Amino acid sequence: MSSENLVKMANQIAHYFDSEPDPALAVQGVRQHLKSFWTPAMLRQLAEWSEAHAGEGLDPKVREALV
């Protein structure tokens, strides 16, 4: 899968949690979703892309969830 698609999908997941008033819970929701439904290869590819691009284009919740 292309890195661009992974970024798009991760941002869509993050936007789902935009209505969560507690930012920490929103990040935890993103982290849990990625852990539960993404393969290790997808997570690794997204993390590598994020590092190479300084997180540019990723929702801040996704960037924090990847830490």
Side-chain angles (χ1 to χ4, degrees):
M1 181 173 295
S2 75
S3 295
E4 292 78 18
N5 280 342
L6 292 176
V7 169
K8 180 181 176 182
M9 289 172 22
N11 284 338
Q12 288 172 335
I13 293 163
H15 293 312
Y16 174 82
F17 290 97
D18 282 347
S19 63
E20 172 56 58
D22 183 340
L25 287 178
V27 169
Q28 180 57 35
V30 173
R31 184 179 291 125
Q32 187 59 49
H33 183 93
L34 294 175
K35 183 179 175 183
S36 295
F37 299 106
W38 285 36
T39 67
M42 291 167 69
L43 288 171
R44 187 172 45 255
Q45 184 178 346
L46 181 63
E48 289 170 358
W49 184 93
S50 178
E51 187 175 319
H53 294 87
E56 187 78 24
L58 276 178
D59 185 284
K61 291 182 290 301
V62 176
R63 288 195 303 257
E64 193 172 339
L66 290 174
V67 174

